[in-house]
Amino acid sequence: MKAGKQTISNFDFRGLVLKPIIPVLLVILLLSAALTVYLRDRLEAGWSDMTDILSVEIHRGGDGAAEHYDGNSFPVVNRGDLLILRVPLREERRVDDAVLGFNIPHVAGFARCGDEILWSYGQELWEQGRYVGNLFFRVPVEDEMWGSTVELQLTVTEDDAFSSITHVQAMPSVNSIRYFFSLFQMDMLLFLTIAVFSATVCIVLLFYRGGGDLKREGLFLAAFCFLAGHGFLYGLSNNTPVCAHAEYVAFYLMPIPFCLFMCTQVRNDRLFRIISEGLTVFFVLLFSVATVLNYTSRRYHYTSFLLLLQGCMLLGVILFVAMLVRKQYSEDLSKKVIRYGVAISMLMLMLEVARYNVSKYILVGFGLEELSFASWGMLTFAGTLMLGYLARLTDAVGEESDKALLKRLAYVDVLTGISNRNYCNQMIEEMEHRGEKYFALLFFDLNGLKWANDNYGHDMGDRFIQTVAQILQKLFGRQRFCGRWGGDEFIACLTGDNMHYAEDMLRDFDREIRDLNESETFPFRVSVAYGVVRSTEQEVLTVDEAIREADRRMYTAKIRMYDAKEAPGTIR
């Protein structure tokens, strides 16, 4: 405990820094949401939307009778169906040096214009029974192709795959990466949210000196939120097959840190803890089985277990809501944020389930496909967990700050900034508890403090005490302990090999006092009496016995210094 050491307890960290964090985060999230909506129109400047002019031809089972559909909507396609998508490149929608952007899940095939193959992917994987994934396609369009038609022949690789194709865009190839940000603007917002949250948590945890529970909760929550933003992978790499696989891996892994987070919340509730731990094990096993089958089986892929995964994820969220009700949270900020946030997220989830099924099987082609309650629900869910956690972390850091301040007041001398008698007594008890028998104990006493106070005022006396304390801290601060014993008395203790260097350190002390006097810092001669005692194998002493003996020797030295007129007020 060094003099002048700056710690979190020196200022109100909770009041000055942490309290503004939550409103600042809310403002950032609102600005991010507004920015993503604004950027969508900006990103699509100069693009041509081709969705409304395409036509679709479906051959069930690959060779069945053709079903023709004008527009982008059609009945649900299944594994083995052949989908022929025709996009007329009309001159009025011309974009120079263009690419056609698509986002179509679970298909393998090629694109052509006349006899020229423009793009192909996945046919070999499909023939091998391998997983193809949810792909983002960019089909190059040469300038001379405008006025003709681009045809995509796509084989559907999974059952119950999709019933519409949305957001087909012709865009300049130089900025085609913008297609991702336009298509996945909610994923971008979620990613930005996670980045802000993670940075904030890391900064706050730097100041948090408490136990590891809150830190583990923060890690689990950050991992969950990071995996929840898996769609943003497409914006980080042009390798869409890798991103497609990584997206499903992230989706399967996402419930695991969430269940681990739940485990930390129900530590004292045996029933919920068992259920949470069981769900964690289940999701680990489900991910393992799905991954093995995805890369070894011709029939079963990640998509084969999505219904089971989503159902169990829903169960986990319901369990979390039940936990909130069972714990009967008080109405503080973090509990309110989590309670209402989870309620809104559950509403969003139910709306998404309804939207997905209605758009896929009932109101096909009514534009419901482009809505995304799931993204808003996930953003709300992740955001409320983040804000609730930060509110709890804020309180925890504040409590640690208060404890550190109380400890500082209890163990640090206010005048000098070094350890006080309480701290020294605690170290003495610790030495006795550990059975430390061998040490050197030094006792110091300022000569002439009362005379300095009477003649130069108490401010001068305080400077006298502070200056000597700084010298002692400089020389003995790294030893077993060093502190102000009371009034004008100080104590230091050396253990281990250092106890043999007591005389050398005292010579350094004498030199510091001599330099102080030569610099004429004070209008009087500074002198300090001291006594030193060792507890050795030849003569073992208790600490109390050593203090009494060192005090006696110090007093003898004081009398000698006064007789020699070396103390303040004795020089004529």
Side-chain angles (χ1 to χ4, degrees):
M1 194 172 290
K2 298 181 181 179
K5 183 178 180 181
Q6 187 76 6
T7 67
I8 192 173
S9 59
N10 293 86
F11 62 99
D12 185 7
F13 185 79
R14 175 171 50 184
L16 296 179
V17 179
L18 291 177
K19 283 185 178 179
I21 280 180
I22 292 177
V24 168
L25 280 178
L26 286 172
V27 171
I28 291 174
L29 294 180
L30 290 174
L31 289 176
S32 298
L35 181 63
T36 53
V37 174
Y38 169 75
L39 284 179
R40 176 164 185 170
D41 293 333
R42 301 283 294 182
L43 289 172
E44 296 181 5
W47 294 8
S48 290
D49 188 0
M50 316 295 281
T51 310
D52 59 327
I53 60 174
L54 59 84
S55 61
V56 178
E57 181 179 312
I58 301 175
H59 296 265
R60 300 293 178 179
D63 55 3
E67 302 174 10
H68 296 276
Y69 302 93
D70 291 325
N72 65 323
S73 301
F74 40 84
V76 175
V77 291
N78 293 285
R79 179 184 176 89
D81 291 349
L82 176 62
L83 192 72
I84 300 177
L85 180 67
R86 296 184 177 90
V87 183
L89 301 178
R90 296 178 181 175
E91 283 290 345
E92 65 269 20
R93 303 195 182 192
R94 183 186 184 94
V95 176
D96 292 333
D97 189 23
V99 295
L100 280 177
F102 298 83
N103 179 246
I104 307 177
H106 317 306
V107 294
F110 61 90
R112 69 182 182 183
C113 183
D115 295 328
E116 182 182 358
I117 301 298
L118 307 176
W119 164 92
S120 65
Y121 173 76
Q123 194 62 38
E124 185 177 349
L125 292 175
W126 159 245
E127 291 172 356
Q128 295 174 357
R130 302 281 299 279
Y131 172 70
V132 176
N134 179 25
L135 297 184
F136 163 42
F137 305 137
R138 281 175 285 193
V139 178
V141 178
E142 298 178 6
D143 291 345
E144 58 269 20
M145 293 181 184
W146 290 95
S148 57
T149 299
V150 171
E151 180 180 283
L152 286 83
Q153 293 193 18
L154 307 173
T155 301
V156 182
T157 61
E158 303 291 341
D159 285 330
D160 202 24
F162 53 90
S163 61
S164 64
I165 298 173
T166 61
H167 216 63
V168 180
Q169 298 282 343
M171 68 199 85
S173 59
V174 293
N175 59 16
S176 60
I177 189 62
R178 294 182 184 177
Y179 180 79
F180 163 78
F181 296 104
S182 173
L183 189 61
F184 298 107
Q185 58 176 319
M186 284 306 303
D187 294 274
M188 182 169 66
L189 178 57
L190 188 58
F191 182 83
L192 292 173
T193 303
I194 292 162
V196 172
F197 165 73
S198 300
T200 305
V201 168
C202 290
I203 292 172
V204 175
L205 287 179
L206 287 176
F207 294 92
Y208 182 58
R209 299 289 187 269
D213 289 345
L214 268 178
K215 292 182 179 180
R216 282 192 293 271
E217 288 180 30
L219 290 175
F220 294 148
L221 190 54
F224 165 72
C225 294
F226 175 78
L227 293 170
H230 51 261
F232 201 77
L233 293 169
Y234 291 96
L236 304 178
S237 172
N238 289 327
N239 192 332
T240 52
V242 171
C243 292
H245 284 252
E247 182 179 14
Y248 273 101
V249 169
F251 191 61
Y252 272 83
L253 288 176
M254 185 173 63
I256 297 174
F258 176 70
C259 289
L260 291 172
F261 174 77
M262 283 201 306
C263 289
T264 63
Q265 305 298 300
V266 293
R267 193 174 294 104
N268 299 322
D269 192 317
R270 187 169 181 272
L271 174 61
F272 279 91
R273 188 182 71 251
I274 291 174
I275 296 175
S276 300
E277 291 173 350
L279 279 175
T280 303
V281 174
F282 170 79
F283 283 121
V284 170
L285 292 175
L286 180 61
F287 167 71
S288 301
V289 171
T291 300
V292 170
L293 291 177
N294 184 73
Y295 293 105
T296 60
S297 171
R298 295 180 60 88
R299 179 64 181 176
Y300 297 103
H301 302 138
Y302 280 128
T303 55
S304 305
F305 304 96
L306 281 182
L307 187 60
L308 176 62
L309 176 66
Q310 292 169 345
C312 292
M313 289 173 64
L314 179 61
L315 176 62
V317 174
I318 294 173
L319 175 66
F320 188 72
V321 174
M323 180 196 71
L324 293 178
V325 175
R326 183 183 176 95
K327 290 182 73 172
Q328 297 181 344
Y329 275 160
S330 58
E331 292 301 313
D332 61 32
L333 177 61
S334 64
K335 313 311 186 299
K336 283 183 177 180
V337 168
I338 293 176
R339 180 177 296 172
Y340 294 117
V342 170
I344 294 172
S345 303
M346 290 291 292
L347 176 61
M348 293 285 186
L349 181 61
M350 289 186 287
L351 287 174
E352 174 61 19
V353 172
R355 181 210 65 81
Y356 177 80
N357 288 281
V358 169
S359 65
K360 195 170 186 178
Y361 300 107
I362 302 175
L363 299 179
V364 178
F366 279 76
L368 297 178
E369 301 85 356
E370 298 191 22
L371 295 177
S372 181
F373 292 111
S375 297
W376 283 107
M378 181 56 69
L379 180 61
T380 304
F381 188 69
T384 53
L385 289 181
M386 294 173 190
L387 294 176
Y389 173 77
L390 279 175
R392 291 180 54 230
L393 187 58
T394 298
D395 291 338
V397 173
E399 290 174 4
E400 288 297 317
S401 175
D402 294 341
K403 290 178 182 178
L405 178 60
L406 292 175
K407 186 175 181 179
R408 181 173 177 81
L409 293 174
Y411 293 131
V412 176
D413 180 63
V414 176
L415 177 63
T416 64
I418 69 172
S419 304
N420 62 12
R421 185 165 183 163
N422 289 336
Y423 179 79
C424 294
N425 280 328
Q426 181 175 322
M427 294 300 101
I428 291 170
E429 292 177 3
E430 186 177 301
M431 289 175 63
E432 292 174 346
H433 178 72
R434 294 182 176 181
E436 299 181 35
K437 298 179 180 180
Y438 310 123
F439 55 86
L441 193 134
L442 299 82
F443 210 80
F444 301 83
D445 189 284
L446 278 57
N447 293 327
L449 177 62
K450 183 178 184 304
W451 179 86
N453 284 331
D454 292 342
N455 287 273
Y456 296 99
H458 285 276
D459 288 343
M460 183 64 71
D462 289 346
R463 279 186 56 209
F464 185 12
I465 294 172
Q466 290 169 341
T467 302
V468 174
Q470 290 170 6
I471 294 173
L472 290 171
Q473 185 69 16
K474 173 183 175 181
L475 296 174
F476 300 98
R478 296 182 180 275
Q479 304 305 316
R480 191 63 175 83
F481 63 84
C482 172
R484 186 181 180 192
W485 195 247
D488 56 359
E489 296 177 334
F490 295 85
I491 191 172
C493 182
L494 288 67
T495 57
D497 293 337
N498 289 336
M499 65 179 287
H500 302 298
Y501 299 102
E503 280 76 11
D504 293 337
M505 300 178 76
L506 287 172
R507 279 193 290 271
D508 292 339
F509 177 76
D510 290 337
R511 185 173 62 254
E512 292 279 351
I513 297 297
R514 185 168 58 252
D515 293 344
L516 184 65
N517 286 321
E518 291 176 355
S519 67
E520 297 183 350
T521 303
F522 292 93
F524 52 83
R525 181 180 179 82
V526 173
S527 72
V528 180
Y530 53 77
V532 57
V533 174
R534 285 186 183 80
S535 175
T536 63
E537 292 181 2
Q538 291 73 30
E539 186 180 4
V540 177
L541 301 174
T542 65
V543 180
D544 288 337
E545 290 172 341
I547 290 175
R548 287 194 297 270
E549 179 59 22
D551 182 51
R552 187 189 65 77
R553 295 183 185 184
M554 177 274 298
Y555 186 71
T556 300
K558 179 183 286 286
I559 293 174
R560 177 180 54 77
M561 296 176 78
Y562 270 91
D563 290 343
K565 300 189 182 301
E566 296 177 0
T570 62
I571 299 176
R572 298 289 184 264

